[in-house]
């Protein structure tokens, strides 16, 4: 599913399976990094969502990113994304998180609409990155 997500996003960072496995093991090694949840419909795996934890003075303490949200194409537009967001937000509150952020690719209108309907707002800022 991680590969499918990476390949679905236009202009995204190319998927590197070795790097993904390595960073996933690192992520799982320390609960302070965040959580990952698998999403099921009965016995069928329909997706996953990842929350990573940070700290921000601007957002008054622990903040978090929805680093990845993926729903298998056959299960999209059936409420799984909305339910996953609501579940994650409740878990984040329980973890003491004060704000949840996410990013969406320009042109991914279905995802952007889901996020807006769920209460996420664009701050009209640029996400800038420098690899170290």
């Amino acid at each position: 599913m991680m590969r499918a997500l990476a390949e679905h996003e236009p202009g995204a960072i190319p998927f590197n399976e070795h790097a993904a496995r390595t960073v996933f093991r690192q992520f799982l090694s320390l609960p302070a990094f965040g959580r990952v949840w698998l999403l099921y419909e009965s016995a069928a795996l329909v997706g996953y969502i990842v929350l990573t934890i940070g700290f921000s003075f601007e957002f008054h303490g622990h903040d978090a990113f929805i680093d990845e949200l993926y729903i298998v194409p056959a299960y999209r537009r059936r409420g799984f994304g909305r339910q996953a967001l609501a579940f994650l937000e409740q878990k984040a509150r329980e973890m003491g998180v004060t704000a949840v952020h996410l990013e969406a690719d320009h042109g991914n209108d279905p995802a952007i609409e889901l996020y807006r309907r769920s209460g996420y707002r664009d701050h009209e800022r640029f996400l800038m990155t420098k690899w170290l």
Side-chain angles (χ1 to χ4, degrees):
M1 284 189 285
M2 290 176 85
R3 177 184 299 281
L5 177 61
E7 292 173 352
H8 171 75
E9 296 178 349
I13 299 166
F15 185 75
N16 177 322
E17 186 167 341
H18 174 73
R21 288 180 182 277
T22 300
V23 79
F24 189 63
R25 281 188 206 101
Q26 182 181 4
F27 177 77
L28 293 176
S29 74
L30 187 61
F33 288 148
R35 303 287 186 281
V36 60
W37 292 276
L38 300 177
L39 312 174
Y40 287 92
E41 162 82 342
S42 299
L45 180 62
V46 302
Y48 72 99
I49 191 166
V50 177
L51 182 76
T52 60
I53 306 296
F55 193 90
S56 170
F57 287 94
E58 180 179 359
F59 292 101
H60 309 146
H62 285 290
D63 66 344
F65 265 88
I66 298 174
D67 194 62
E68 297 195 359
L69 170 58
Y70 180 76
I71 305 295
V72 173
Y75 291 91
R76 291 181 185 160
R77 307 203 60 85
R78 293 175 47 190
F80 292 105
R82 180 183 45 77
Q83 291 174 33
L85 291 173
F87 173 82
L88 177 140
E89 291 163 10
Q90 181 57 41
K91 293 298 182 182
R93 280 184 201 93
E94 292 170 8
M95 296 166 61
V97 170
T98 58
V100 176
H101 316 282
L102 55 79
E103 58 183 308
D105 286 327
H106 296 282
N108 190 349
D109 295 336
I112 292 168
E113 184 57 29
L114 166 66
Y115 302 143
R116 285 185 176 142
R117 282 193 322 258
S118 297
Y120 291 83
R121 299 292 170 250
D122 183 353
H123 292 280
E124 301 199 14
R125 295 180 176 177
F126 295 102
L127 174 65
M128 301 173 72
T129 303
K130 180 178 180 178
W131 286 87
L132 303 177

